[in-house]
């Protein structure tokens, strides 16, 4: 059974930075893409960034140039470096493993994610 555990969330002021981590256990063969999603109160969970097995990445337009997704295969860990944070970045951030291998497979929507972590809260104040 695959288990994902996120960490690194917190409260920061606008313009600040945070680095989220997601450690996968019980996942010994990295075949699939994985991704970061976020969910603001009263809104649907939306894709923020995804990364394929070979390192190809894609980002939601509002975070391009500010967020960087990366992975450490040796440690089965996914990261999201978030810089120049804005109040609209506030939400619960979830990592997930997709049902396919390409970045598109992970970015297509929450129903394309097979496994979710419990989430970590990010709050950005103005």
């Amino acid at each position: 059974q695959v288990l994902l555990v996120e960490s690194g969330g917190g409260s920061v002021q606008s313009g600040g930075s945070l680095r989220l981590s997601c450690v996968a256990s019980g996942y010994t063969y990295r075949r699939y893409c994985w991704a970061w999603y976020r969910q603001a109160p009263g809104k649907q969970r939306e894709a923020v960034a995804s990364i394929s097995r070979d390192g190809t990445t894609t980002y939601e337009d509002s975070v391009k140039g500010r967020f960087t997704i990366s992975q450490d295969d040796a440690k089965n860990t996914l990261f999201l470096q978030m810089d120049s944070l804005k109040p609209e970045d506030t939400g619960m951030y979830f990592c997930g493993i997709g049902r396919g291998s390409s970045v598109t497979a992970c970015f297509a929507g929450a129903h394309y994610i097979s496994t979710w972590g419990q989430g970590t809260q990010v709050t950005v104040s103005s």
Side-chain angles (χ1 to χ4, degrees):
Q1 181 181 356
V2 178
L3 180 66
L4 302 178
V5 179
E6 302 98 332
S7 62
S11 296
V12 296
Q13 290 190 327
S14 183
S17 297
L18 286 172
R19 189 186 195 212
L20 307 184
S21 299
C22 172
V23 179
S25 59
Y27 189 45
T28 57
Y29 182 56
R30 274 272 288 120
R31 291 181 58 188
Y32 302 108
C33 59
W34 48 357
W36 288 99
Y37 277 65
R38 68 185 175 195
Q39 188 166 18
K43 294 188 176 181
Q44 289 188 330
R45 197 170 294 189
E46 63 174 2
V48 175
S50 67
I51 187 167
S52 67
R53 178 66 181 88
D54 66 1
T56 303
T57 59
T58 192
Y59 297 91
E60 193 269 328
D61 286 346
S62 70
V63 308
K64 285 180 180 176
R66 300 188 298 120
F67 290 12
T68 304
I69 188 171
S70 61
Q71 60 194 357
D72 184 332
D73 284 346
K75 297 181 179 179
N76 259 354
T77 302
L78 179 71
F79 302 100
L80 185 67
Q81 177 66 41
M82 304 187 295
D83 299 318
S84 302
L85 282 161
K86 303 176 181 180
E88 51 264 44
D89 295 319
T90 294
M92 186 71 79
Y93 282 69
F94 299 88
C95 70
I97 295 172
R99 302 183 189 278
S101 59
S102 70
V103 289
T104 305
C106 272
F107 209 75
H111 48 288
Y112 289 94
I113 301 297
S114 63
T115 305
W116 292 103
Q118 85 290 348
T120 185
Q121 177 67 36
V122 171
T123 303
V124 184
S125 58
S126 57

